[in-house]
Structure formats: C-alpha cells, structure tokens
Amino acid sequence: MAKMLALDCEAHSAPAGPTAAIEINNISKRFVSALGEIVALDRVSFDVYPQEFLSIIGPSGCGKSTLLGLIAELEAPSAGSIRIGGMPPSRARLARQVGLVFQDAVLLPWRTVEENVALPFEVMKIPEDQCRDQIAQALKLVKLDGFENRFPHELSGGMRQRLGIARALSFDPQILLMDEPFGALDAITRDKMTIELLNIWEQRKKTVVFITHSITEAVFLSDRVVVMTPRPGRIRAVIDNHLPRPRTLAMRDEPAFTATARQLREFLEYD
Ligand code: ADP
Ligand code: MG
C-alpha cells in the first residue's frame, strides 16, 4: 500500500498545465498473418487531455482495439511512440495508472463479486486488509454494495459490466480505457449504463478513452470524438462536442446533439 501511495503522489505531482494525459505520436501497427501483412494502424497521432472523455468511433477492423491495446501495453507498436502522463506505457502500467474494461466483463465465474474486484490487488500482492476499503468503495461507486457475495452468473448483464468497471477503478488509476463496454447490453440497460458512467467520471475525474460503434453513445458521452477509417486504420477526423454538461438522455433530441451526430455520420459514411 505504501508503494501505491508513493506512486500516486508521484502522478499527482506532475506539472499542471498542458501535459497531455496520453500522447499518441505517429503510431503504426502491422500484423503479419497467413494472408499477408495487415496495416492495423497507419501513422495515428492525437493527444488525450487530462480528465477528458474521448471516444473513438469507426467500423469493425479499423484498429480501435489495437490502439487501446497499445495504450494498455498489451502490444508494442511497429513504429511511433506513446506517453502516458509523460511516461512510457510500461511505467504507467507498473504505476497502475491504467484501468481496462472490455465488452464482456471478463469475470472469473468461480469468484464472488468481491473476489473479482480483489483480483488486481492480488496480482499486485497487496494484502487483503490493506485493500478492503478500496474494494468496498469501488463496489459502492457502481452500486454493487450488497452484492459482494454473489457470483457473476447471479448478476444481470448491466451488473456484470458494472463489476468490470469497479474492478478497473478499484486501484484508482488516472486513466480508464473502455473497449465497447456496453456493446452486448440491451438498449435500455445501455442507456442506464451511459448515465452511470458519466456519474462515475464526474465523481472520480478520470481520463477516459471509450471505444464504440454507436454514434449516439459517442455524442452523449464525449468531449471529443476521434473518427477512424479502416484498411489501413487511420484518423479521419477529430470532432469537438459542444453539448453542455451535465448531460441528460433527453438531450439526444436537441439540435446541438443531432448536429454533432450528423457530422459524425457524414465522416463515417465518407467512403
Ligand atoms: P477494431 O477493434 O476496430 O474492430 P482491431 O483493432 O481489432 O479492429 O483490428 C484491426 C485490424 O487488425 C483487423 O484487420 C484485424 O483483423 C487485424 N488484427 C488485429 N489483431 C490482430 C492480430 N493479433 N493478428 C493479426 N491481425 C490482427
Ligand atoms: Mg475492437
């Protein structure tokens, strides 16, 4: 725990101002498969600002997950560089600055709700008595307090996704990377989850990079939206979203919302 606190202080003592939370500099990623070489990402550059909610939208295969994997250091780029709070992704990962949420919550079915959230702490070898409060806080944040002893199969799809978010936030990373986290949910649950995610983001002041297929979701959640195109994966546009906050579902019918949605659609239908 002492170690975590020290790392936390280090992160907070970074100079305030224009330092980007994430810098993506001229990233390319090639995969070699039996079918030949695939250029998953071709010279992609953009910054994510501290505490920004940034979405990435684009059709299947345009390199969204690859890009997130590079930020999370699940893979290495073929060219270019990434900095997270000024650090290489490897250091950011060791400093536990990055939390990840996937489309399916990737829960361990034989572990209870509480034990699933405890997993990152076990990996970090932090004794149970030192992380109990953080686990309880994370479960409270996603409104799963009271469900500590349930198993994943006893939860609804929305609750499982909330559990995935609790696990990603439990060690208080500055950055949350989300890969189509609500893609498998029904429309009503999805609406609820987007509102809950905005509440969490406003309470915890995280930098969020959110991948989605949904224009509505991108406009509803984001400060900016990066539009990508496939083969090779490139950035087509970065759109500022001026929809005021706090956001409500009713705003989806407002002209400011539909104008940004139309702009996104035009960039996506450009081909
Ligand atoms: P998205 O998330 O936007 O749907 P991905 O990042 O998953 O796209 O994939 C981008 C491209 O890279 C696709 O053509 C995909 O088939 C290819 N790709 C992704 N991962 C691998 C891999 N490990 N090996 C080979 N090709 C891959
Ligand atoms: Mg993907």
Side-chain angles (χ1 to χ4, degrees):
M1 186 56 62
K3 190 174 161 212
M4 270 189 65
L5 287 176
L7 290 166
D8 224 2
C9 293
E10 192 178 300
H12 286 298
S13 66
T19 313
I22 307 174
E23 293 167 59
I24 297 173
N25 304 313
N26 226 8
I27 282 288
S28 293
K29 178 68 181 174
R30 291 179 288 276
F31 291 109
V32 179
S33 74
L35 299 171
E37 192 185 67
I38 294 162
V39 182
L41 294 170
D42 183 36
R43 290 164 292 165
V44 167
S45 297
F46 63 93
D47 286 349
V48 188
Y49 309 131
Q51 299 180 3
E52 179 177 31
F53 201 118
L54 180 124
S55 289
I56 301 176
I57 194 167
S60 285
C62 70
K64 304 182 295 297
S65 296
T66 302
L67 184 56
L68 218 65
L70 295 176
I71 300 171
E73 220 219 353
L74 305 177
E75 307 232 31
S78 309
S81 67
I82 295 180
R83 287 284 176 281
I84 298 175
M87 298 184 261
S90 53
R91 264 194 68 204
R93 193 166 58 105
L94 285 175
R96 284 278 159 184
Q97 287 301 293
V98 179
L100 265 173
V101 182
F102 299 99
Q103 177 166 0
D104 49 352
V106 207
L107 304 170
L108 298 178
W110 59 87
R111 285 178 159 240
T112 63
V113 163
E114 194 169 43
E115 288 165 352
N116 267 285
V117 179
L119 193 65
F121 295 99
E122 286 174 30
V123 173
M124 291 186 275
K125 300 201 173 3
I126 294 170
E128 199 193 321
D129 59 324
Q130 289 179 19
C131 57
R132 200 172 292 133
D133 287 352
Q134 279 166 289
I135 293 170
Q137 273 175 26
L139 286 172
K140 194 154 191 278
L141 186 71
V142 300
K143 303 194 187 107
L144 280 178
D145 43 331
F147 294 88
E148 290 82 355
N149 299 319
R150 302 286 183 95
F151 286 90
H153 74 267
E154 297 176 288
L155 306 178
S156 67
M159 289 164 93
R160 280 200 292 273
Q161 253 346 60
R162 297 213 301 267
L163 179 52
I165 294 170
R167 189 177 52 190
L169 287 176
S170 59
F171 48 87
D172 205 26
Q174 292 304 302
I175 292 166
L176 190 59
L177 305 178
M178 308 184 85
D179 194 349
E180 301 191 40
F182 310 144
L185 302 176
D186 65 83
I188 295 167
T189 310
R190 198 168 173 148
D191 279 356
K192 274 194 199 149
M193 291 295 297
T194 50
I195 293 283
E196 281 174 21
L197 178 60
L198 281 185
N199 287 336
I200 291 170
W201 173 71
E202 270 152 22
Q203 279 180 53
R204 288 284 181 108
K205 297 288 175 207
K206 302 294 175 201
T207 305
V208 179
V209 180
F210 186 94
I211 289 180
T212 180
H213 273 122
S214 159
I215 292 174
T216 307
E217 207 169 65
V219 180
F220 187 73
L221 288 166
S222 316
D223 296 316
R224 286 188 303 152
V225 185
V226 173
V227 182
M228 291 187 63
T229 53
R231 288 175 298 279
R234 284 187 181 145
I235 293 182
R236 165 141 301 154
V238 181
I239 292 174
D240 286 319
N241 185 11
H242 299 294
L243 196 68
R245 296 188 188 271
R247 295 189 179 158
T248 60
L249 290 173
M251 282 181 176
R252 294 184 299 191
D253 300 322
E254 288 180 9
F257 189 101
T258 45
T260 308
R262 189 181 318 116
Q263 205 183 359
L264 274 180
R265 194 170 301 112
E266 279 166 10
F267 278 115
L268 286 165
E269 288 170 354
Y270 186 80
D271 285 319

